[in-house]
Amino acid sequence: MRWMRFTLPLLLLISPMAFGQKQYTEGACLLLQHQMVQFSAQPSSHNYQNAKREFDNHCQNPIPAPVKNLVLTNIPAKPVTVGSAANAVTTKQVNANVVAKAATPPPVKPAPAAIPKPADVLTALFAPILAFFGSILTLLFLLALVLGLLAFVAGRYSARIKGALGEWALHRVLVSELPASYQHYRNLVIPAEKGDFTEVDHLVLSPFGIFVIEVKNYRGCIFGGEKQPQWTVQRFRSKHQFMNPLHQNYKHTQAVKQLLGLSGQDGDNVYSIVAFSLRAEFKFQIPANVMYTDLVGNYINRFTQPCFNDDQLRQFSARLNMAKAGKKVLRKLHKQQFNY
């Protein structure tokens, strides 16, 4: 407790009210009060008596501590320049320039360009060439793929495609050469005599007769006879036999007669025609009703004797239109009969 003995008199000496004033400051009174608490167990001691006497005499109305502004001693005070408003503005501009210069980063020197390696130079030179050849190879691959797909489709459906092309060629001939009043039906599926179905390639309905046309789009030499059950097409060393088209179309004409209810003399006015493409070459004496596709129009126009009246033509047209309307269903049944 020795420090209390020296600290208390020192505070009393430095207190602004120690001389000439009877009251101590609040800080001195707090120290006296603290000393009294420390020696409260020994009230007869000299330290307790002195502290109590000083507290009773000089701490009844202690002097409050003066309020001082906080001053940071480690930050230098800015000098205040007394002058005109122009000087103040100039000072602010100078300070702003200094701050801008401090905020602007120093210019960065560009790094020296790296010396290209020989491998990089070759790559840069040949990259466009390699890209060009790569695109060419890609196009060739796609072209080969398309051609292969077309070859596959043509090989699998070649007969059907050839038949469709031949029928379309005959259709153009009939449209361009026959009168507009003639009614033309294509790929007509109708019931046959034995309860099955047959498909007629072309049928022309006119006042001068009904013409049932079978189309063959073969290429090569054709061998056969009117009464032979099979005919032969030969192209180079390849040979292929097919049903006598006259016998095949006879079934079609009979089905048409049955559908239209024709018999006797009216049935004789249903004519059979077999049309071959210009790619075929006949090697035998062909009948009058077997001809090339481009001659079918002229052959039909030779018939000029009326044989059906308007009422009959309307009845025939109604039945043929009914068969045409149900062609999808009848064609499905026609295909099913070959699967059994």
Side-chain angles (χ1 to χ4, degrees), residues 189 197-199 330-338:
V189 179
F197 297 89
T198 187
E199 184 173 3
L330 296 176
R331 179 172 292 176
K332 184 177 180 181
L333 296 175
H334 178 55
K335 291 181 179 179
Q336 288 178 355
Q337 73 185 14
F338 294 102

Side-chain angles (χ1 to χ4, degrees), residues 291-312:
M291 64 200 70
Y292 289 112
T293 300
D294 56 346
L295 300 178
V296 175
N298 293 331
Y299 179 79
I300 295 177
N301 286 328
R302 295 175 186 174
F303 294 82
T304 58
Q305 184 66 33
C307 56
F308 299 118
N309 56 38
D310 293 340
D311 292 337
Q312 289 178 309

Side-chain angles (χ1 to χ4, degrees), residues 37-226:
V37 174
Q38 292 292 331
F39 294 99
S40 62
Q42 301 175 357
S44 60
S45 63
H46 178 71
N47 292 329
Y48 180 80
Q49 294 293 333
N50 291 336
K52 187 176 185 307
R53 183 175 58 253
E54 294 292 334
F55 184 83
D56 292 339
N57 295 331
H58 303 285
C59 291
Q60 297 302 322
N61 189 16
I63 300 172
V67 179
K68 296 182 179 181
N69 294 329
L70 181 62
V71 178
L72 301 178
T73 56
N74 58 343
I75 300 177
K78 296 182 180 180
V80 178
T81 303
V82 180
S84 63
N87 293 334
V89 173
T90 304
T91 304
K92 291 181 179 180
Q93 291 179 352
V94 172
N95 293 335
N97 294 334
V98 172
V99 172
K101 290 181 180 180
T104 304
V108 180
K109 295 182 179 180
I115 300 176
K117 298 180 181 180
D120 297 337
V121 175
L122 292 177
T123 302
L125 290 176
F126 287 101
I129 300 176
L130 293 177
F132 174 75
F133 281 105
S135 60
I136 294 297
L137 291 176
T138 303
L139 292 176
L140 291 177
F141 173 76
L142 294 176
L143 181 61
L145 184 63
V146 172
L147 292 178
L149 181 61
L150 292 177
F152 171 77
V153 173
R156 185 171 184 179
Y157 302 99
S158 60
R160 188 177 301 178
I161 294 174
K162 291 178 181 179
L165 293 176
E167 293 175 7
W168 176 250
L170 178 60
H171 172 74
R172 290 185 300 175
V173 171
L174 297 178
V175 170
S176 61
E177 296 184 5
L178 295 182
S181 60
Y182 287 15
Q183 299 184 45
H184 179 205
Y185 298 89
R186 297 174 54 192
N187 300 323
L188 195 63
V189 179
I190 56 178
E193 292 180 346
K194 297 182 180 181
D196 55 352
F197 297 89
T198 187
E199 184 173 3
V200 177
D201 292 340
H202 290 268
L203 186 146
V204 176
L205 178 62
S206 74
F208 312 106
I210 300 174
F211 304 91
V212 181
I213 308 170
E214 176 68 19
V215 180
K216 295 299 181 183
N217 194 19
Y218 290 122
R219 182 177 184 180
C221 298
I222 307 297
F223 299 90
E226 184 176 356

